Amino acid sequence: SRRWRTRSPATSWGAWSPSPAWLDLSVAALAQAQKRLPNVGSLVAWQHAEVLAVELPVSAFDIRHGRAVAHALTDPADRARYVAQVRRAVKPDGFVLVATFAEDGPTRCSGLDVVRDSSATLHDEFGNDLQLVESSREEHSTPCGAPQLFTYCLCRSEPLAARRTRSPSYSTRDRVVSPYRSRCRCDSADCGHS
């Protein structure tokens, strides 16, 4: 059976600089992003890596954005490792923006099962020291025109002193994993949402 993680890219962040960073599992996605950002691309630290395997610098990011990652992690242990990566990498008083399939969003992506979340279930997984600032839903259109509902959560990391007074709570209750296919029936190799 196919898995989300099919290759083993670099597992070390390497020489870290305080510039903006872009981490992606896909070399093609990195190349496309670099093409779309020609004026700022040289200022970005581009990294081909798997988010669960890379060694991210501790408290290095003011803002951490993850789109279309959490829903691909269907194993609870992988989700817990992902949350730990995010929590470790964001600075105290930093922000975390996570986008994932909504609880009534697609049930499969690229032929694989996914996890779907509401803002409450997604925020619950990240723990109490990430305070929910705002959440929203978005209807995204795939390249083949199929709608996909996403949940976005913007959280702010508490200052380090506040973190020490409370233990984190992680919960995966109420997550929805469904065997049903999404509405996209596109045969395009570029779509990736079938």
Side-chain angles (χ1 to χ4, degrees):
S1 75
R2 233 170 94 198
R3 291 184 46 92
W4 283 101
R5 291 173 278 130
T6 58
R7 54 188 108 92
S8 181
T11 58
S12 173
W13 192 254
W16 172 246
S17 67
S19 65
W22 188 305
L23 176 96
D24 208 299
L25 176 61
S26 168
V27 173
L30 284 170
Q32 187 176 24
Q34 288 171 340
K35 258 193 241 181
R36 288 182 178 174
L37 301 169
N39 297 330
V40 296
S42 63
L43 303 174
V44 176
W46 303 95
Q47 179 73 27
H48 170 235
E50 179 184 340
V51 71
L52 298 180
V54 70
E55 189 176 319
L56 296 174
V58 176
S59 297
F61 299 101
D62 294 314
I63 301 171
R64 198 281 180 201
H65 176 249
R67 185 181 183 282
V69 176
H71 65 251
L73 302 172
T74 59
D75 180 323
D78 286 345
R79 283 181 69 97
R81 286 177 41 218
Y82 172 69
V83 167
Q85 281 278 56
V86 171
R87 290 166 48 97
R88 183 175 50 252
V90 72
K91 290 179 179 179
D93 288 325
F95 290 90
V96 174
L97 176 60
V98 178
T100 188
F101 286 154
E103 68 272 23
D104 53 347
T107 57
R108 294 178 63 81
C109 184
S110 299
L112 301 171
D113 290 335
V114 297
V115 175
R116 303 181 302 166
D117 288 290
S118 67
S119 60
T121 60
L122 184 61
H123 181 252
D124 280 352
E125 285 199 63
F126 281 87
N128 293 331
D129 61 330
L130 288 177
Q131 297 300 304
L132 184 63
V133 174
E134 184 177 342
S135 66
S136 66
R137 291 171 46 94
E138 174 195 53
E139 184 174 297
H140 165 75
S141 291
T142 68
C144 56
Q148 292 181 326
L149 296 174
F150 274 80
T151 295
Y152 284 81
C153 286
L154 175 64
C155 300
R156 184 166 191 169
S157 178
E158 285 190 348
L160 203 49
R163 287 186 187 185
R164 290 187 188 120
T165 63
R166 184 167 57 222
S167 62
S169 68
Y170 300 106
S171 171
T172 56
R173 71 180 192 286
D174 302 328
R175 285 189 304 150
V176 179
V177 180
S178 173
Y180 301 109
R181 292 183 58 81
S182 67
R183 290 174 260 173
C184 184
R185 299 289 188 253
C186 182
D187 291 327
S188 168
D190 296 330
C191 179
H193 294 98
S194 55

